[in-house]
């Protein structure tokens, strides 16, 4: 249940700048932090220079992600000192998200400019922390608890509409403890929100104009929230319930674990037309030996079996994955198994990363770490293969009529961008009036070109004209 919003205490609006790193869960959390801060007078600005409060919503997944935060904090400190020197007021600096959770103490030591450190499960208390600091300048706050109360019960209702395609967090945390991963430590144990709360939020998103919803969770297909009958509800049942909402035309979910891809969820791809034919199903490695050392809980054949079932249920299903190269002990033969798996599955898209040892995770202590240049060389080979598959997938769409949900304006007037059912960014050029009318609509467009990162299309009746010019995607 949602608590009523706190009364406004500020007459003059204050400016809030939020910078988001990491995964879509952080994108969702950033929007909710804005909701938490609105009742105490903070409105969003898109530039940090004149912000009264800057929130860095951080990611700890790889070393580079965490280091970015420290360099950003250095820049912010200079900005704040300049503002103070010009007597233009103060700037509070808050670090939220997974770096805050994992490195709360180190953050305070390495970045004394930080006023607030707040973890991903405690940000519903951010308003109170800000007010306390404003009342007693100088007091710094750290809140990296995993509170017993769920933040979802304490968050105010979403204030701003998310636009045509919305995110909705249904599950958080992870109990799987892959040996390379910080998420179980930064986000805590698996937790599923009650189905009734999710349905309420989904209806609200649709009422506010969203026609696509992406259900989010670190292990979204491990969802087991309380159903209306008091029994745990699976993700498959939740999807079928949400799909009954009038006005909602598309549903997606991410990120799934191969181990939790049960038959009923696979069947949902066949029996729920609103469920889009795209699935992010990270496998990380194609080597059984490495999968075991990663503690993924499945081997390559189990992954192939899931892929086969999925494609039988929904033949046009496009798949994406994450890969880690250079995990400790990965031999050339292990890496070869990964390349071979990629060839066998055929991905529409995939993300590949060099293994980054994370303090506190078991794999970081392994004695057989792989040299950085070997990692780089393998990463390049894997990316070459994946990029070729992605381009081929996009080019195979040329000439087809594809329904696109338009959710973003392009850079120039008359350009509009949307997503195909297979999540391809699809660019259309038309008149500024037509582009404006298309925003938020789903419209079938003719695909002219497949580019590495998306599609170029034209409105059907403009297909023979010269108005559609390929843009660089
Ligand atoms: N829950 C999801 C992944 C969340 S993290 C899953 O199980 O697939 C997103 C991705 O970051 C992972 O899929 C993995 O490919 C990558 N990743 C996580 N830890 C990493 C590390 N230590 N080094 C490199 N990549 C990592
Ligand atoms: Fe990390 Fe593994 Fe959990 Fe995914 S399943 S969040 S990779 S521990
Ligand atoms: Fe990063 Fe935390 Fe997401 S570590 S990937 S922001 S769960």
């Amino acid at each position: 249940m949602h608590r009523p919003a706190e009364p406004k205490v500020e007459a003059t609006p204050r400016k809030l700048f939020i910078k988001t790193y990491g995964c879509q869960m952080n994108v969702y959390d950033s929007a909710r932090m804005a909701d938490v801060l609105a009742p105490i007078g903070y409105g969003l600005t898109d530039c940090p220079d004149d912000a009264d409060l800057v929130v860095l919503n951080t990611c700890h997944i790889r070393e580079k992600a965490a280091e970015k935060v420290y360099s950003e904090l250095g820049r912010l400190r200079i900005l704040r000192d300049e503002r103070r020197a010009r007597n233009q007021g103060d700037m509070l600096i808050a670090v939220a998200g997974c770096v805050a959770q994992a490195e709360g103490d180190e953050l305070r030591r390495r970045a004394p400019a930080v006023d607030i450190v707040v973890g991903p499960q405690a940000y519903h208390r951010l308003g109170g922390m800000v007010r306390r600091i404003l009342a007693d300048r100088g007091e710094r706050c750290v809140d990296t608890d995993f509170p017993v109360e769920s933040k979802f019960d304490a968050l105010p209702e979403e204030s701003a509409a998310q636009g045509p395609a919305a995110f909705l967090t249904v599950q958080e945390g992870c109990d799987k403890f892959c040996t390379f991963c910080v998420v179980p430590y930064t986000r805590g144990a698996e937790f599923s929100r009650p189905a009734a709360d999710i349905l309420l939020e989904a209806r609200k998103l649709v009422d506010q104009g969203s026609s696509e919803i992406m259900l989010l969770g670190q292990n979204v297909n491990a969802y087991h929230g309380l159903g209306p009958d008091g029994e745990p509800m699976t993700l498959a049942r939740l999807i079928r319930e949400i799909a009954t909402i009038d006005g909602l035309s598309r549903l997606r979910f991410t990120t799934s674990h191969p181990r939790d891809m049960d038959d009923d969820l696979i069947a949902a791809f066949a029996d729920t037309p609103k469920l889009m034919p795209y699935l992010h199903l990270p496998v990380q490695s194609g080597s059984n030996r490495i999968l075991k050392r990663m503690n993924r809980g499945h081997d390559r054949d189990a992954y192939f079996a899931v892929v086969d079932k999925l494609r039988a249920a929904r033949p046009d299903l496009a798949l994406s994955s994450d890969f880690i190269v250079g995990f400790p002990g990965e031999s050339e033969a292990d890496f070869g198994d990964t390349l071979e798996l990629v060839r066998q599955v055929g991905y529409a898209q995939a993300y590949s990363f060099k293994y980054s040892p994370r303090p506190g995770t078991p794999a970081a202590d392994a004695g057989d770490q792989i040299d950085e240049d070997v990692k780089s060389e393998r990463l390049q080979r894997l990316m070459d293969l994946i990029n070729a598959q992605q381009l081929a997938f996009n080019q195979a769409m040329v000439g087809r009529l594809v329904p696109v949900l338009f959710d973003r304006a392009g850079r120039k007037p008359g350009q509009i961008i949307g997503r195909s059912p297979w999540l391809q960014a699809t660019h259309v050029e038309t008149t500024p009036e037509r582009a404006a009318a298309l925003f938020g609509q789903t419209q079938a467009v003719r695909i002219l070109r497949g580019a590495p990162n998306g599609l170029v299309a034209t409105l059907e009746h403009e297909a023979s004209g010269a108005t559609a010019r390929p843009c660089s995607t």
Side-chain angles (χ1 to χ4, degrees):
M1 288 305 104
H2 293 294
R3 284 190 195 149
E6 292 184 49
K8 274 200 176 187
V9 294
E10 275 306 310
T12 358
R14 294 193 178 121
K15 290 184 181 161
L16 165 68
F17 176 76
I18 304 183
K19 184 161 181 172
T20 308
Y21 303 81
C23 63
Q24 284 149 332
M25 315 257 337
N26 264 13
V27 176
Y28 176 87
D29 289 344
S30 290
R32 303 315 312 272
M33 279 189 253
D35 291 337
V36 168
L37 293 165
I40 60 165
Y42 285 93
L44 280 171
T45 172
D46 48 17
C47 160
D49 297 38
D50 58 349
D52 303 291
L53 169 60
V54 173
V55 178
L56 301 183
N57 195 11
T58 61
C59 173
H60 200 244
I61 203 83
R62 284 168 291 275
E63 193 182 351
K64 253 196 203 142
E67 282 307 315
K68 269 189 209 157
V69 176
Y70 288 101
S71 29
E72 187 64 32
L73 284 171
R75 280 193 289 276
L76 285 174
R77 203 189 60 196
I78 296 169
L79 211 61
R80 166 153 96 184
D81 290 348
E82 284 170 359
R83 273 187 69 177
R84 281 181 180 160
R86 290 197 300 263
N87 273 331
Q88 285 175 328
D90 210 348
M91 174 199 277
L92 289 183
I93 300 176
V95 178
C98 293
V99 175
Q101 189 65 45
E103 295 187 12
D105 291 336
E106 193 180 349
L107 259 168
R108 270 150 56 102
R109 193 175 49 75
R110 276 181 68 181
V114 174
D115 299 291
I116 294 173
V117 176
V118 61
Q121 306 307 346
Y123 67 76
H124 53 292
R125 301 170 176 167
L126 189 53
M129 297 170 83
V130 170
R131 275 188 310 196
R132 277 200 300 282
I133 291 206
L134 290 178
D136 174 20
R137 198 67 184 85
E139 184 206 349
R140 303 168 83 220
C141 299
V142 177
D143 190 346
T144 49
D145 277 4
F146 290 109
V148 280
E149 83 272 12
S150 159
K151 73 181 171 215
F152 292 106
D153 293 341
L155 287 170
E157 284 199 24
E158 280 195 69
S159 53
Q162 286 197 42
F167 289 143
L168 201 176
T169 294
V170 302
Q171 181 276 344
E172 263 206 84
C174 179
D175 297 336
K176 295 214 162 52
F177 291 93
C178 299
T179 54
F180 52 81
C181 185
V182 292
V183 170
Y185 311 96
T186 61
R187 292 271 169 172
E190 260 182 31
F191 166 79
S192 297
R193 297 178 65 193
D197 292 3
I198 296 167
L199 281 160
L200 213 66
E201 205 169 313
R203 282 196 196 95
K204 178 140 192 243
L205 289 169
V206 174
D207 288 346
Q208 286 174 329
S210 300
S211 44
E212 172 176 312
I213 294 180
M214 170 81 92
L215 306 177
L216 296 179
Q218 258 97 25
N219 281 283
V220 71
N221 56 345
Y223 176 82
H224 58 278
L226 190 70
D229 50 5
E231 292 294 315
M233 189 152 169
T234 61
L235 184 65
R237 272 184 66 200
L238 182 71
I239 284 170
R240 293 188 185 106
E241 286 283 329
I242 298 177
T244 62
I245 299 175
D246 283 340
L248 180 77
S249 57
R250 294 177 164 196
L251 255 178
R252 306 179 186 274
F253 60 92
T254 202
T255 292
S256 299
H257 195 292
R259 258 161 75 186
D260 296 322
M261 213 59 226
D262 64 53
D263 287 348
D264 195 29
L265 185 55
I266 293 173
F269 280 100
D271 64 35
T272 309
K274 288 183 186 178
L275 188 58
M276 290 292 103
Y278 183 95
L279 181 65
H280 185 57
L281 193 64
V283 65
Q284 313 297 353
S285 169
S287 154
N288 280 338
R289 214 172 61 82
I290 298 298
L291 285 170
K292 199 164 179 138
R293 281 190 64 171
M294 286 177 163
N295 191 32
R296 289 293 288 179
H298 65 84
D299 60 14
R300 55 188 270 134
D301 283 345
Y303 186 78
F304 287 137
V306 169
V307 168
D308 288 348
K309 281 193 207 171
L310 281 161
R311 287 192 164 141
R314 183 84 205 228
D316 67 340
L317 186 87
L319 285 165
S320 71
S321 176
D322 295 338
F323 293 94
I324 294 178
V325 300
F327 184 83
E330 186 189 68
S331 66
E332 182 56 32
D334 293 318
F335 177 65
D337 287 348
T338 299
L339 293 177
E340 201 270 325
L341 177 142
V342 172
R343 283 192 201 97
Q344 200 164 321
V345 172
Y347 289 98
Q349 204 188 331
Y351 303 92
S352 11
F353 309 104
K354 286 194 266 187
Y355 170 68
S356 169
R358 306 305 291 128
T361 60
D365 297 330
D368 46 1
Q369 302 290 329
I370 303 295
D371 281 351
E372 227 19 61
D373 42 353
V374 174
K375 288 185 197 172
S376 302
E377 189 268 336
R378 288 183 187 162
L379 182 72
Q380 194 54 53
R381 277 194 281 159
L382 179 59
M383 280 172 51
D384 288 346
L385 175 60
I386 286 166
N387 289 344
Q389 289 192 344
Q390 186 171 334
L391 181 61
F393 181 74
N394 290 342
Q395 286 177 338
M397 299 277 156
V398 172
R400 287 178 60 177
L401 202 55
V402 168
V404 170
L405 170 60
F406 289 98
D407 62 348
R408 269 177 298 156
R411 263 188 240 126
K412 291 188 226 144
Q415 288 181 338
I416 182 135
I417 305 168
R419 294 274 177 190
S420 77
W422 305 278
L423 216 57
Q424 294 145 300
T426 306
H427 297 241
V428 166
E429 270 193 61
T430 180
T431 62
E433 296 72 33
R434 283 200 64 90
L438 276 174
F439 183 81
Q441 304 296 312
T442 301
Q443 163 92 42
V445 295
R446 186 70 67 186
I447 307 303
L448 296 176
R449 193 159 75 84
N453 291 317
L455 304 172
V456 178
T458 185
L459 298 175
E460 181 66 339
H461 65 278
E462 293 174 354
S464 53
T467 44
R469 203 160 18 89
C471 50
S472 51
T473 43

